[in-house]
Amino acid sequence: MILRRWMGKGVVQLAVILIMALNLIPLIIAFSTSLRDPKDNTNPLVLFQGVSLASYKAAYELMHFLEALWNSVVLTGVSVIFVVLFAAMASYPMARLKTRLSKFMYLFFLSGLVVPAQMVLIPIVQMINALHIPTNQYTPIFMFITCSLPFSTFLYTGFIRSGVPEEVEEAAHIDGAGLLQRFWTVVFPLLIPVTVSVIITQGVWIWNDYFFNMIFISGAGQSPLPLAMLGFMGDQQNPTQWNVLFAACFLCALPLLLVFLFLQKYFVGGMTVGAVKG
């Protein structure tokens, strides 16, 4: 019996190691390629040969990294702030009220998870033009907020139902706190784990989004990082410089990695608690 358990654990560990290796090998190859000179076109499977930061320097300069980084920070930051505020306020009554209207609104928000945003893009563009909303680096924020609300409200509603005891709100109500005061001073501070989960899940998607930015942003100097990387995609006359392109990819991913390392303990707690009930 002990031998069988030991063999079973060994098989599981071996499978985990193989899966990790399959996921890490492409990443290691890309990182090794990014550490080469832009003109070095040798076999990419020869890892870490001729380590150089020339590709990172070229990517930094060609994509105007600081300007594109600021545009991405503004797009992601503003969108995530409004998503957190709207989703938290919308989820609170849906989680607390036991009425048909609250159940309908909960299902209404969930229905947004099954409707692809690309399906309604043309009507949305027509509506934006009819309302004379200018298309600049801030226009995609409307799409990011709209597309992020269904999943965010799902997380917040489940977390409030299972992770925020009603007795805390009742005590604040007895002390004379109004509805908005109870929400902002009692409930919202308890939503830190799920708020971090929303920030990471939706922030990563918004940061990496290419589709909406390509549709609505056309002005020079307004491109976020995903659009700025288009300059490294070659054509028949100018082949793609893969070394510089991979360097640009790692430069774009670095801010997200730093944020995730800082918020990861809250992220795990928010995802597990919010998924208990709902």
Side-chain angles (χ1 to χ4, degrees):
M1 182 65 67
I2 297 176
L3 180 60
R4 289 182 178 179
R5 291 181 180 178
W6 181 84
M7 292 180 61
K9 291 182 179 179
V11 171
V12 172
Q13 293 176 356
L14 180 61
V16 171
I17 293 174
L18 289 176
I19 294 174
M20 289 180 59
L22 291 175
N23 285 276
L24 286 176
I25 287 175
L27 185 63
I28 293 173
I29 294 175
F31 183 63
S32 172
T33 304
S34 69
L35 292 175
R36 294 184 177 187
D37 188 88
K39 298 180 181 179
D40 186 357
N41 296 319
T42 56
N43 189 352
L45 296 180
V46 180
L47 302 178
F48 302 103
Q49 181 182 13
V51 176
S52 172
L53 296 178
S55 294
Y56 283 90
K57 181 180 179 180
Y60 183 89
E61 295 174 352
L62 292 174
M63 70 190 303
H64 303 286
F65 181 76
L66 291 181
E67 185 179 35
L69 176 63
W70 173 249
N71 292 332
S72 289
V73 169
V74 171
L75 276 175
T76 306
V78 174
S79 301
V80 168
I81 289 173
F82 279 103
V83 168
V84 168
L85 294 177
F86 292 161
M89 289 188 293
S91 300
Y92 181 57
M94 290 190 296
R96 287 291 183 250
L97 298 178
K98 310 298 181 182
T99 62
R100 293 183 178 180
L101 179 61
S102 64
K103 294 180 180 180
F104 170 79
M105 293 303 300
Y106 180 66
L107 295 176
F108 175 76
F109 276 102
L110 286 184
S111 64
L113 294 173
V114 298
V115 179
Q118 293 81 357
M119 181 183 299
V120 294
L121 182 62
I122 294 178
I124 290 176
V125 172
Q126 293 175 344
M127 182 183 66
I128 290 176
N129 292 333
L131 295 175
H132 303 288
I133 297 176
T135 54
N136 51 37
Q137 69 265 40
Y138 305 115
T139 308
I141 291 176
F142 296 101
M143 295 300 303
F144 293 146
I145 295 174
T146 303
C147 296
S148 298
L149 280 177
F151 182 73
S152 301
T153 53
F154 169 73
L155 287 182
Y156 272 114
T157 304
F159 189 92
I160 293 173
R161 287 175 177 174
S162 60
V164 180
E166 296 186 31
E167 291 77 10
V168 178
E169 301 173 50
E170 293 174 355
H173 181 62
I174 294 175
D175 292 337
L179 179 61
L180 290 178
Q181 188 177 4
R182 292 200 305 271
F183 176 75
W184 290 114
T185 61
V186 178
V187 177
F188 192 75
L190 299 177
L191 303 180
I192 291 179
V194 70
T195 299
V196 172
S197 299
V198 170
I199 291 174
I200 293 179
T201 55
Q202 303 310 302
V204 169
W205 167 68
I206 295 171
W207 183 275
N208 293 326
D209 182 76
Y210 168 80
F211 182 75
F212 292 130
N213 292 328
M214 182 185 64
I215 296 296
F216 295 105
I217 297 178
S218 58
Q222 299 178 351
S223 300
L225 289 173
L227 286 186
M229 294 174 60
L230 278 178
F232 302 112
M233 300 302 295
D235 50 32
Q236 294 181 352
Q237 287 75 26
N238 300 300
T240 302
Q241 292 183 321
W242 294 106
N243 302 357
V244 181
L245 179 59
F246 284 133
C249 291
F250 282 101
L251 285 176
C252 295
L254 182 60
L256 285 183
L257 292 176
L258 296 177
V259 172
F260 180 77
L261 289 176
F262 179 73
L263 300 176
Q264 61 177 338
K265 63 177 181 180
Y266 300 104
F267 172 70
V268 174
M271 291 299 290
T272 54
V273 177
V276 173
K277 295 181 182 179

